[in-house]
Amino acid sequence: RPKEDIVLRQIKDVVADVTDDPTLHGQAIFFNPNAMRGKLKHISVDIYVNGKKAGSVKKDYKIVIPSKAEFTVPIQVKLNIKELGLFDTLLGMVGGKNFEIRYDGYLRLTYRGIPIKVPIDYKDDVRIRL
C-alpha cells in the first residue's frame, strides 16, 4: 500500500453542454505523492451543487499514475437538472451566483498489481456567469 493517498487538486477546463442530456466536461488534476507508479482503473464520484446531488462520474480507465507527479483524468458528468431545479440554476448563472461544488467518492487503482481504493472528498466554490 502507498504511504500517502492520491489527492484531487483541482477540476479545470469545465465546459457545460446544455442539450437534452446536459453534461459537464472537464479535467480532474490529481497528485501522487508516492515514489511508486500505479494504474488508475476506475473512478466513482458523486457531484453535489449547493448540497444537492447534481450528477456522478462512474468510468473505467487504464491510465498510468506517475510517481511524485500530477496526472490528469478526463471526466464527464451527466447533470440531474430536475434535482437542482432548472429555473433556479439558470437564474443563478445569469446573475453570476456562487455555487459550492463537492466531489465525494473514490478512485480504484493498482500498485504492483494490488488493488487499492482511495477516497475522494473535495470542495470548491465556483462562480458561474453566462
Side-chain angles (χ1 to χ4, degrees), residues 16-88:
D17 179 11
V18 185
T19 59
D20 292 341
D21 191 17
T23 57
L24 288 178
H25 303 275
Q27 302 291 322
I29 309 298
F30 292 94
F31 178 71
N32 177 14
N34 300 293
M36 292 191 274
R37 289 181 353 152
K39 286 187 182 176
L40 175 63
K41 296 293 190 174
H42 182 78
I43 186 170
S44 179
V45 177
D46 292 327
I47 290 90
Y48 297 88
V49 177
N50 292 337
K52 295 180 182 176
K53 186 173 177 180
S56 60
V57 176
K58 292 182 187 339
K59 188 171 179 184
D60 292 329
Y61 292 95
K62 290 184 179 179
I63 296 176
V64 174
I65 300 169
S67 63
K68 296 189 181 241
E70 286 186 344
F71 62 99
T72 303
V73 178
I75 58 171
Q76 181 176 341
V77 181
K78 291 185 180 184
L79 294 176
N80 184 356
I81 295 295
K82 291 177 186 172
E83 181 66 33
L84 291 176
L86 179 61
F87 188 68
D88 290 342

Side-chain angles (χ1 to χ4, degrees), residues 5-18:
D5 283 342
I6 290 176
V7 178
L8 173 60
R9 283 199 168 162
Q10 178 184 13
I11 305 289
K12 68 177 193 174
D13 300 332
V14 177
V15 177
D17 179 11
V18 185

Side-chain angles (χ1 to χ4, degrees), residues 105-116:
Y106 64 89
L107 299 176
R108 191 176 315 266
L109 27 117
T110 59
Y111 278 104
R112 298 182 183 171
I114 299 169
I116 297 169

